[in-house]
């Protein structure tokens, strides 16, 4: 049968959702919908039915991320994944592209010019135990973010990632359960969001000046979620692995971070990323 690549739209989301269900990925249909609102995608159709997908997000003129690269198991080995990726990458021009790969997907990404540059540690708890909030010091205070903080959060996020993600920040502020800003001596020391995702809740992005600030933000968002499913995707270099495990959030996966183009390196002393929005969007 002939495979047709078309732009992914709302009418394809039911079929795309089925593909993630077959893989036992946690994405809800609404998760697909929210991610598509921020980016664009391709769907591979056979007899009108989705058998493969890709999504990408353009963050300014220089960067993009790529995710939800899926080919139905019954159609694998026919080059559909390569077709989807080549078409998607062609649409991104000269942007640096980041993705998170499974070990099975890594060889194809390497053939297309991606280079491994680290990994992500996926931590989760199906029924979180009680987590105590870390108290602020006399120099610190936490407050809830409002839509008026969008420019501030976008600037902090840009400093950590080098990407222009204002639309993502706007969506986070409008849809998250909570977004907290940490202030130190009256200046922003980081922010983090708690939102519905998959089986329960996800914490991310987490952007902070240091590990201590990131832990303070995460602990405050975890407090009050006792008994809930909670997930945190943290950079492998963030240094949160042992602490998250001690809280009962065990590591369940470690996808490979890969770049096509020069990897982003945040400036020393500036904001850094300690938790991802999602593995797909980073």
């Amino acid at each position: 049968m002939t495979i047709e690549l078309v732009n992914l739209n709302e009418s394809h989301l039911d079929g795309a959702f089925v593909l993630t269900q077959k893989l036992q990925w946690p994405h809800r249909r609404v998760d697909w919908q929210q991610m598509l609102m921020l980016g664009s995608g391709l769907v591979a159709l056979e007899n009108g039915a989705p058998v493969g997908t890709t999504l990408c997000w353009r963050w300014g003129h220089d960067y993009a991320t790529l995710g939800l690269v899926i080919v139905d198991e019954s159609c694998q080995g026919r080059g559909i994944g390569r077709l989807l990726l080549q078409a998607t990458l062609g649409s991104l021009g000269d942007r640096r592209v980041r993705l998170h790969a499974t070990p099975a997907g890594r060889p194809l990404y390497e053939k297309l010019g991606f280079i491994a540059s680290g990994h992500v540690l996926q931590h989760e708890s199906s029924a979180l135990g009680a987590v105590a909030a870390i108290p602020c010091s006399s120099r610190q205070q936490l407050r809830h973010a409002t839509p008026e903080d969008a420019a501030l959060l976008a600037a902090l996020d840009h400093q950590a990632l080098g990407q222009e993600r204002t639309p993502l920040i706007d969506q986070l502020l409008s849809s998250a359960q909570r977004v907290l800003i940490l202030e130190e001596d009256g200046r922003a020391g980081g922010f983090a969001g708690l939102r519905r995702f998959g089986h329960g809740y996800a914490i991310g992005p987490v952007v902070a000046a240091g590990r201590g600030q990131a832990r303070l933000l995460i602990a405050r968002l975890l407090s009050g979620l006792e008994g809930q499913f909670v997930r945190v995707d943290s950079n492998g270099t963030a240094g949160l692995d042992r602490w998250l495990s001690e809280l009962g959030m065990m590591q369940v996966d470690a996808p490979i971070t890969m770049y096509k183009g020069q990897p982003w390196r945040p400036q020393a002393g500036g904001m850094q990323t300690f938790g991802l929005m999602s593995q797909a969007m980073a």
Side-chain angles (χ1 to χ4, degrees):
M1 297 293 181
T2 301
I3 296 295
E4 180 186 11
L5 299 187
V6 301
N7 292 327
L8 193 151
N9 60 47
E10 181 80 20
S11 70
H12 302 121
L13 291 187
D14 287 339
F17 171 65
V18 169
L19 291 177
T20 42
Q21 289 286 290
K22 288 181 178 179
L23 291 170
Q24 298 186 325
W25 288 6
H27 302 74
R28 305 168 299 161
R29 189 185 188 282
V30 69
D31 296 326
W32 270 96
Q33 188 175 41
Q34 289 178 346
M35 288 189 282
L36 182 58
M37 288 172 62
L38 292 170
S40 61
L42 291 174
V43 58
L45 299 176
E46 186 170 49
N47 294 331
V51 296
T53 62
T54 57
L55 277 180
C56 65
W57 297 268
R58 296 165 176 81
W59 307 121
H61 297 293
D62 299 321
Y63 291 93
T65 50
L66 178 62
L68 289 170
V69 181
I70 303 170
V71 176
D72 189 273
E73 185 177 7
S74 65
C75 297
Q76 291 178 7
R78 295 167 52 188
I80 296 172
R82 180 185 287 273
L83 285 174
L84 284 163
L85 285 166
Q86 287 176 329
T88 301
L89 291 171
S91 74
L92 295 176
D94 295 329
R95 289 178 174 86
R96 305 181 194 182
V97 184
R98 174 177 171 171
L99 59 79
H100 295 104
T102 64
R106 179 174 177 171
L108 174 57
Y109 298 130
E110 289 179 334
K111 289 176 183 177
L112 294 173
F114 285 86
I115 297 173
S117 65
H119 59 281
V120 169
L121 301 179
Q122 180 180 327
H123 283 262
E124 60 186 47
S125 173
S126 59
L128 185 70
V131 175
I134 298 172
C136 292
S137 72
S138 60
R139 300 175 44 244
Q140 297 173 320
Q141 71 169 3
L142 284 170
R143 66 177 179 86
H144 291 275
T146 70
E148 287 69 34
D149 293 307
L152 169 63
L153 300 191
L156 298 177
D157 187 70
H158 180 267
Q159 188 179 132
L161 280 171
Q163 300 171 3
E164 300 286 352
R165 302 204 302 177
T166 298
L168 182 148
I169 296 298
D170 289 340
Q171 187 187 87
L172 180 71
L173 287 169
S174 66
S175 64
Q177 307 300 113
R178 287 190 289 166
V179 180
L180 295 179
I181 297 175
L182 173 64
E183 294 180 340
E184 296 181 316
D185 296 326
R187 300 180 62 183
F191 75 93
L194 171 71
R195 58 195 178 82
R196 293 300 304 271
F197 176 80
H199 302 306
Y201 294 91
I203 291 178
V206 181
V207 171
R211 192 178 304 157
Q213 292 92 331
R215 288 173 56 170
L216 192 155
L217 285 160
I218 293 170
R220 184 62 61 93
L221 291 174
L222 288 173
S223 64
L225 294 180
E226 185 174 351
Q228 300 293 325
F229 182 100
V230 188
R231 170 174 168 173
V232 177
D233 292 293
S234 178
N235 286 331
T237 57
L240 299 177
D241 182 44
R242 178 179 296 180
W243 177 70
L244 287 170
S245 296
E246 290 171 353
L247 295 180
M249 300 191 63
M250 308 313 296
Q251 181 189 329
V252 298
D253 201 2
I256 306 154
T257 302
M258 304 190 76
Y259 273 93
K260 186 176 177 64
Q262 186 68 26
W264 167 254
R265 296 285 183 257
Q267 293 184 355
M271 290 289 156
Q272 299 182 52
T273 300
F274 289 87
L276 309 184
M277 179 72 172
S278 72
Q279 289 182 19
M281 292 189 293

